């Protein structure tokens, strides 16, 4: 069925309603599976409308998920989902159907597979391209334990562009591991897939033949069936006689129609009779069964809750501020090149890609490559800008150190989604970038207090000769006026942004970083009105180099120093302040506020900040408590 609207009422799903465990699915006749798939698609449409969240990828794997749980003895057999964008149908069939409406909400289901949530979630995911490595580990462990369980890794074509996926396939062949890899080829990651691998998949289709398997597990080649997707193929595809997977050493089967549940059941049952590394290539449509999503797969990658109007904020998103700066800077300097690892839309680069196509490089899901690619460009006298999410830069850490910083190359990192990211949960939180960058020599690290300062910091970072990073949060700015004139900030220089009750001798100095500056000012106002003491707020701006002079200048006037950051307290910006004060023998009471030493479950961004005590009220309460203890001790 093709649907055109997201239902506001729960659909009638008689077959789906009796499936609280895949064993109940396996008790059905195979002829009933298309109805199960249709009911599951209706339910996913409804549940996603209630919860918001990832959308198109889930609709695209309905039939695949039904076939996998029907053919394999889960949870004894292991299904390993890559990324997790497509795990909603899996959750619905494994006892979490009615909870699906709570996905991504506080105390609800996790946005991605999570081992602590269900025995059916065999591996926790969030970043892409890990499933084959994890599945190989499970397969080799099963061999060592003399278990006969099957292991199936489900990987998208976008995820297969990462080097980690090929490292795992190479190793799987070396060990002749008994595992299956299902390549879900929909020509998309979040944006449309790019690069040589995408062209290679297209060439497989253009050959006009596919590798089928009979009921005895024997492979045979035949002409492609009538269903195909030739309109989606790349014109530059080659006419290769073989394919990459067979060249590596996998047994290759496909491409099959990923929306034909009967054929998928036949294929999986037959392939269970074979051993060794096997790859099943299926073709699916992202957003399958929902007409608007099929027509605009990027827009419907994720959706908001149905009939819930988001809070209006007319301020531009930080990603849009970055995108506009990128265009403006590029217009002034033809040495600027821009790189993204498959996050064009999310990073605000659509306009730049259209205006400067010859200077735009989408390297697909390959963060390590993105960083070293920039290093190579910088070696030739160009000035690359790498737009990357904080959580994804973690994957290129060795390259950041060895290939960029060690050689002091002129690369600018625009780090989006820094701090907490709300409903996407701990896999996507940017909680560690201060810590892992500030220990690296030659790095300069900045954090803007608002969208205008973000624009000026990006310009400052770009003009600096050497590796620089500007880290900014997800979502909208504060609504301040953005100056079109690009100005350079003084390197390593903080600014005092608020002072209250300066007539008092006792003073609390709040050293705030990035997104917490405006919130710290709110907290300071409340403290000043409640306590008989002076309160000062400093926008530190730079994590590295730290403004040591302002700390020295304030030391004699300060009774308590407080640092505030939307980052892990351990090894974060506050730790940098502590280290300097200890080295300079500035002996003052200290309070470091930030994220605790734990992985924080999903909730809204506001809820997470409140739970961590990083909203204005939480900061005020923490400082009041510390001040009370300090006074009592004195």
């Amino acid at each position: 069925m093709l649907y055109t609207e997201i239902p506001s009422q729960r659909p009638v799903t008689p077959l789906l309603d009796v499936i609280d465990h895949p064993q109940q699915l396996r008790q059905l006749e195979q002829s009933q599976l298309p109805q199960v798939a249709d009911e599951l698609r209706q339910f996913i449409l409804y549940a996603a409308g209630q919860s918001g969240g990832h959308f198109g990828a889930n609709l695209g794997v309905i039939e695949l998920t039904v076939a996998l749980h029907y053919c394999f003895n889960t949870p004894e057999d292991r299904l390993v989902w890559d990324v997790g964008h497509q795990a909603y149908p899996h959750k619905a069939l494994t006892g979490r159907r009615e909870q699906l409406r709570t996905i991504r909400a506080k105390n609800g289901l996790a946005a991605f597979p999570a081992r602590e949530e269900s025995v059916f979630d065999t591996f926790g995911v969030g970043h892409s391209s890990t499933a084959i490595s994890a599945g190989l580990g499970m397969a080799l462990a099963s061999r060592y334990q003399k278990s006969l369980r099957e292991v199936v890794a489900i990987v998208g074509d976008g995820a297969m562009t990462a080097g980690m996926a090929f490292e795992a396939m190479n190793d799987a062949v070396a060990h002749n591991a008994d595992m299956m890899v299902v390549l879900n080829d929909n020509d998309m990651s979040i944006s449309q897939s790019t690069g040589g691998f995408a062209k290679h998949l297209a060439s497989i289709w253009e050959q006009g033949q596919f590798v089928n398997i009979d009921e005895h597990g024997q492979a045979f080649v035949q002409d492609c069936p009538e269903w195909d997707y030739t309109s989606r193929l790349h014109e530059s595809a080659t006419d290769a006689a073989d394919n990459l997977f067979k060249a590596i050493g996998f047994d290759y089967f496909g491409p099959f129609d990923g929306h034909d549940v009967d054929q998928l059941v036949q294929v999986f049952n037959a392939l269970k009779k074979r051993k060794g590394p096997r790859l099943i290539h299926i073709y699916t449509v992202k957003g399958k069964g929902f007409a608007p999503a099929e027509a605009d797969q990027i827009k419907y990658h994720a959706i908001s809750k149905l009939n819930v109007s988001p809070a209006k904020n007319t301020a531009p998103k930080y990603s849009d501020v970055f995108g506009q700066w990128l265009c403006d800077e590029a217009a002034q300097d033809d040495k600027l090149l821009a790189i993204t690892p498959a996050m064009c839309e999310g990073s605000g680069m659509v306009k730049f890609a259209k205006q400067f196509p010859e200077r735009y490089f989408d390297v697909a899901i390959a963060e390590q490559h993105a960083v070293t690619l920039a290093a190579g460009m910088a070696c030739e006298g160009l000035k690359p800008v790498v737009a990357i999410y904080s959580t994804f830069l973690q994957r290129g850490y060795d390259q950041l150190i060895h290939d960029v910083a060690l050689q002091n190359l002129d690369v600018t990192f625009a780090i989006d989604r820094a701090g907490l990211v709300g409903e996407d949960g701990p896999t996507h939180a940017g909680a560690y970038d201060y810590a892992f960058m500030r220990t690296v020599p030659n790095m300069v690290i900045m954090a803007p207090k608002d969208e205008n300062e973000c624009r000026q910091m990006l310009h400052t970072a770009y003009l600096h000769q050497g590796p620089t990073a500007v880290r900014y949060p997800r979502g909208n700015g504060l609504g301040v006026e953005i100056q079109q004139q690009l100005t350079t900030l003084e390197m390593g220089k903080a600014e005092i942004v608020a002072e209250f009750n300066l007539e008092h001798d006792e003073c609390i100095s709040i050293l705030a970083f990035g997104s917490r500056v405006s919130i710290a000012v709110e907290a300071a106002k409340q403290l000043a009105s409640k306590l008989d003491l002076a309160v000062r707020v400093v926008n530190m701006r730079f994590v590295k180099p730290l403004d040591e002079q302002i700390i020295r200048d304030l030391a004699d006037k300060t009774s308590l120093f407080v640092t505030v950051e939307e980052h892990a307290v351990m090894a974060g910006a506050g730790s940098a302040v502590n280290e300097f004060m200890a080295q300079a023998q500035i002996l003052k009471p200290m309070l470091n506020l930030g994220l605790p030493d734990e992985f924080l479950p999903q909730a809204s961004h506001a809820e997470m900040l409140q739970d961590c005590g990083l909203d204005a009220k939480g900061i005020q309460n923490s400082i009041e408590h510390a001040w009370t203890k300090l006074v009592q001790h004195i």
Side-chain angles (χ1 to χ4, degrees):
M1 293 285 292
L2 183 65
Y3 299 97
T4 58
E5 294 183 355
I6 298 174
S8 58
Q9 301 295 320
R10 192 193 188 287
V12 177
T13 54
L15 282 183
L16 183 64
D17 291 350
V18 301
I19 301 172
D20 294 316
H21 188 286
Q23 187 58 45
Q24 294 162 315
L25 172 68
R26 293 190 280 270
Q27 291 171 357
L28 299 178
E29 297 295 330
Q30 184 175 331
S31 61
Q32 294 176 289
L33 297 187
Q35 181 181 338
V36 173
D38 184 61
E39 291 182 9
L40 183 53
R41 179 165 279 108
Q42 293 181 63
F43 184 80
I44 293 297
L45 285 169
Y46 163 71
Q50 297 296 305
S51 66
H54 294 104
F55 190 73
N58 287 294
L59 295 176
V61 298
I62 298 288
E63 289 80 10
L64 171 62
T65 307
V66 170
L68 286 169
H69 280 293
Y70 189 75
C71 294
F72 294 96
N73 184 31
T74 54
E76 174 60 22
D77 289 340
R78 310 301 201 216
L79 299 184
V80 188
W81 295 92
D82 201 90
V83 184
H85 289 166
Q86 71 277 46
Y88 293 14
H90 163 77
K91 293 192 181 214
L93 292 176
T94 54
R96 292 167 280 178
R97 180 183 61 252
E98 301 307 323
Q99 294 172 274
L100 206 60
R101 287 169 289 182
T102 72
I103 201 164
R104 304 174 81 246
K106 186 176 182 179
N107 300 320
L109 294 182
F112 307 102
R115 283 171 54 82
E116 65 274 13
E117 185 177 288
S118 172
V119 67
F120 291 94
D121 292 358
T122 60
F123 196 72
V125 293
H127 293 182
S128 88
S129 314
T130 62
I132 305 177
S133 294
L136 175 58
M138 295 174 191
L140 296 180
S142 296
R143 175 185 291 175
Y144 177 73
Q145 296 166 337
K146 296 181 171 52
S147 169
L148 297 178
R149 71 170 60 99
E150 296 279 357
V151 177
V152 184
I154 303 97
V155 186
D157 57 305
M160 287 286 280
T161 60
M164 187 175 181
F166 286 95
E167 292 172 24
M169 286 196 296
N170 179 68
D171 199 31
V173 172
H175 293 289
N176 193 31
D178 290 329
M179 69 176 297
M180 297 186 202
V181 174
V182 177
L183 171 58
N184 176 25
D185 179 3
N186 61 19
D187 202 28
M188 298 287 291
S189 51
I190 295 176
S191 303
Q192 186 167 352
S193 296
T194 63
F197 183 71
K199 294 177 181 178
H200 180 69
L201 294 182
S203 75
I204 293 174
W205 281 87
E206 286 192 339
Q207 291 174 45
Q209 292 184 326
F210 78 120
V211 181
N212 208 338
I213 186 167
D214 64 24
E215 61 183 4
H216 305 294
Q218 298 300 310
F220 62 96
V221 178
Q222 66 182 88
D223 291 338
C224 277
E226 292 182 1
W227 54 267
D228 63 36
Y229 298 88
T230 53
S231 63
R232 297 168 62 109
L233 298 182
H234 299 266
E235 294 180 358
S236 57
T238 60
D239 187 22
D242 214 324
N243 68 61
L244 178 62
F245 312 108
K246 293 170 70 175
I248 290 174
F250 268 72
D251 284 344
Y252 171 88
F253 302 91
F256 300 106
D257 182 354
H259 300 296
D260 185 339
V261 68
D262 290 323
Q263 184 180 53
L264 292 176
V265 168
Q266 174 189 334
V267 169
F268 289 141
N269 283 335
L271 282 174
K272 288 194 293 186
K273 300 173 184 178
R274 295 177 71 99
K275 296 296 182 182
R278 291 145 283 166
L279 186 135
I280 304 93
H281 182 185
I282 69 170
Y283 207 102
T284 61
V285 176
K286 195 172 183 180
K288 178 68 174 179
F290 185 63
E294 289 188 24
D296 192 340
Q297 297 179 343
I298 294 175
K299 176 181 178 181
Y300 283 91
H301 170 72
I303 62 170
S304 300
K305 292 181 181 181
L306 191 66
N307 298 326
V308 174
S309 299
K312 290 185 178 180
N313 186 339
T314 58
K317 293 180 179 179
Y318 278 94
S319 56
D320 293 334
V321 172
F322 163 73
Q324 186 59 55
W325 165 79
L326 194 65
C327 292
D328 294 345
E329 197 75 65
Q332 297 180 181
D333 187 356
D334 61 8
K335 291 185 178 180
L336 186 152
L337 305 178
I339 300 167
T340 177
M343 297 304 297
C344 178
E345 289 80 14
S347 293
M349 301 177 74
V350 173
K351 183 178 178 181
F352 179 88
K354 291 179 179 179
Q355 283 189 344
F356 304 97
E358 74 285 0
R359 297 160 70 178
Y360 168 74
F361 300 88
D362 182 345
V363 302
I365 300 175
E367 294 86 359
Q368 294 171 306
H369 166 59
V371 176
T372 304
L373 175 70
M377 291 173 173
C379 287
E380 299 304 318
L382 298 176
K383 294 179 67 66
V385 176
V386 179
I388 193 166
Y389 291 6
S390 174
T391 184
F392 298 144
L393 182 57
Q394 295 164 186
R395 310 186 84 181
Y397 187 45
D398 178 67
Q399 289 71 26
L400 175 73
I401 297 172
H402 187 272
D403 299 340
V404 175
L406 180 63
Q407 304 181 88
N408 200 27
L409 292 172
D410 195 3
V411 178
T412 301
F413 293 90
I415 304 176
D416 200 345
R417 270 63 166 181
L420 299 172
V421 293
E423 292 84 354
D424 281 342
T427 59
H428 284 56
Y432 314 109
D433 47 50
Y434 288 163
F436 71 66
M437 288 191 297
R438 75 178 186 86
T439 58
V440 180
N442 295 329
M443 285 297 302
V444 170
I445 309 164
M446 311 181 208
K449 72 178 187 299
D450 56 42
E451 57 268 45
N452 179 58
E453 192 166 69
C454 183
R455 176 177 170 85
Q456 310 312 327
M457 278 186 176
L458 287 163
H459 179 64
T460 303
Y462 182 76
L463 294 185
H464 177 75
Q465 295 296 310
T468 55
V470 179
R471 65 100 78 172
Y472 45 90
R474 180 183 191 177
N476 300 83
L478 304 182
V480 304
E481 181 181 355
I482 298 179
Q483 300 171 1
Q484 296 308 303
Q485 179 72 28
L486 292 170
T487 58
T488 305
L489 303 179
E490 184 178 347
M491 188 63 59
K493 186 68 174 177
E495 62 170 355
I496 296 173
V497 291
E499 294 179 307
F500 306 96
N501 296 347
L502 293 184
E503 67 275 11
H504 292 284
D505 293 332
E506 300 284 3
C507 180
I508 296 174
S509 291
I510 305 175
L511 311 181
F513 294 83
S515 67
R516 294 304 89 195
V517 174
S518 62
I519 305 302
V521 172
E522 290 182 38
K525 287 180 182 178
Q526 296 303 315
L527 285 167
S529 65
K530 189 173 182 180
L531 303 176
D532 291 330
L533 49 76
V535 185
R536 179 182 290 109
V537 180
V538 181
N539 171 23
M540 291 301 290
R541 285 181 168 169
F542 292 83
V543 176
K544 185 180 183 182
L546 195 67
D547 189 341
E548 299 174 352
Q549 189 57 51
I550 201 169
I551 298 172
R552 292 181 189 275
D553 294 343
L554 293 176
D556 290 340
K557 312 170 189 176
T558 300
S559 303
L560 171 66
F561 275 106
V562 180
T563 64
V564 187
E565 60 191 299
E566 193 174 340
H567 180 280
V569 170
M570 189 177 295
S575 291
V577 174
N578 298 348
E579 291 161 12
F580 164 69
M581 292 179 68
Q583 185 181 39
Q585 298 185 356
I586 299 174
L587 304 179
K588 290 287 181 175
M590 288 291 304
L591 173 63
N592 299 129
L593 300 179
L595 303 180
D597 184 26
E598 59 187 85
F599 293 110
L600 301 171
Q602 78 280 353
S604 71
H605 187 230
E607 288 172 329
M608 296 183 81
L609 289 172
Q610 185 177 38
D611 290 344
C612 295
L614 288 179
D615 60 347
K617 186 63 176 176
I619 293 170
Q620 177 189 341
N621 289 342
S622 295
I623 295 175
E624 279 189 43
H625 181 68
W627 180 253
T628 300
K629 288 179 63 177
L630 180 62
V631 171
Q632 290 173 347
H633 181 71
I634 294 173

